[in-house]
Amino acid sequence: MTSLETYFNNSQPLDQYIAAMTENKENLESIYHSFSLPNNDQRLDQLKTSNYSKVLVISEDWCGDAMMNIPILKHISEALNLEVRVFHRDENTDLIDQYLTNGTARSIPIFVFLNDNFEQVSVWGPRAKQVQHFVDETRAKLPAKDDPTYEDKSAETHVIISNRYKTDSQMWKHVYDSILDKLITI
């Protein structure tokens, strides 16, 4: 099995990943420029002395969750001086298969927080609890998959979710809090 160090070293630095994006780049950058870290968050100060030094992100640029979550992670990583690299999920599914959501889904993004020895310290993703609740509520309104309107309704639902991700600063705050809360509990 390939080590996390090998995956990390063979992954793109975050800024390089963003520069090469072909989908969602403008939205990701817009979220990054619109979101600010809260002032005086003691959790950030506490995490500055933790043993986190790297983040291995498993993602793809077409992913709406990544579009919203990666800009928040970028702010956190800049504040904590973490080196972030992105591994493309679809190029080799061996890595994502170690981080399946609910034991079955290759959901992204997944953030694997590592120490200096490339050992996994914590894992976050693919969504904050409140964001998952919103997605579940929104998708619950879909008709059954065998309904002739399912494809159109599913596409409409995707647009609703994506638009909320792009504009809802409260969702961004939920992501921020969820990541920090996960890191602080270790």
Side-chain angles (χ1 to χ4, degrees):
M1 182 166 78
T2 307
S3 72
L4 290 174
E5 180 176 5
T6 300
Y7 280 117
F8 187 86
N9 289 331
N10 291 325
S11 297
Q12 279 182 300
L14 181 57
D15 288 337
Q16 192 180 89
Y17 168 81
I18 293 169
M21 289 178 73
T22 59
E23 298 180 50
N24 286 320
K25 178 181 181 177
E26 186 176 301
N27 294 321
L28 184 148
E29 290 175 333
S30 175
I31 292 167
Y32 177 79
H33 293 298
S34 299
F35 177 79
S36 298
L37 294 178
N39 292 327
N40 304 318
D41 188 335
Q42 293 179 353
R43 295 173 301 174
L44 279 174
D45 294 333
Q46 187 177 345
L47 286 167
K48 286 179 182 174
T49 61
S50 70
N51 64 344
Y52 300 112
S53 61
K54 299 163 185 42
V55 187
L56 176 59
V57 174
I58 308 168
S59 191
E60 290 290 343
D61 72 356
W62 48 259
C63 176
D65 286 294
M67 170 192 71
M68 178 175 65
N69 297 335
I70 288 177
I72 310 307
L73 174 69
K74 183 170 169 46
H75 277 287
I76 293 168
S77 68
E78 290 167 350
L80 299 177
N81 198 29
L82 304 176
E83 182 182 359
V84 182
R85 291 179 171 248
V86 181
F87 183 83
H88 295 263
R89 180 197 76 171
D90 296 343
E91 287 180 10
N92 176 337
T93 55
D94 290 344
L95 180 59
I96 191 65
D97 286 349
Q98 298 173 47
Y99 299 97
L100 297 176
T101 301
N102 300 323
T104 59
R106 291 177 174 157
S107 302
I108 50 176
I110 299 294
F111 302 158
V112 183
F113 292 86
L114 308 168
N115 63 20
D116 287 336
N117 297 321
F118 298 92
E119 296 165 330
Q120 175 182 307
V121 181
S122 188
V123 177
W124 184 92
R127 294 187 180 114
K129 178 179 64 177
Q130 299 90 336
V131 176
Q132 184 64 52
H133 179 72
F134 161 71
V135 169
D136 291 344
E137 269 190 348
T138 305
R139 287 185 178 159
K141 300 170 188 166
L142 285 171
K145 287 187 177 183
D146 60 355
D147 185 298
T149 65
Y150 176 79
E151 290 301 321
D152 289 340
K153 297 286 185 188
S154 181
E156 290 171 16
T157 298
H158 178 76
V159 169
I160 290 167
I161 292 169
S162 180
N163 284 341
R164 185 88 177 265
Y165 283 3
K166 292 177 211 176
T167 59
D168 189 338
S169 62
Q170 187 58 48
M171 281 214 181
W172 307 340
K173 176 90 167 70
H174 290 317
V175 170
Y176 168 80
D177 286 333
S178 177
I179 293 170
L180 285 196
D181 288 346
K182 178 72 175 188
L183 296 178
I184 215 79
T185 59
I186 300 300

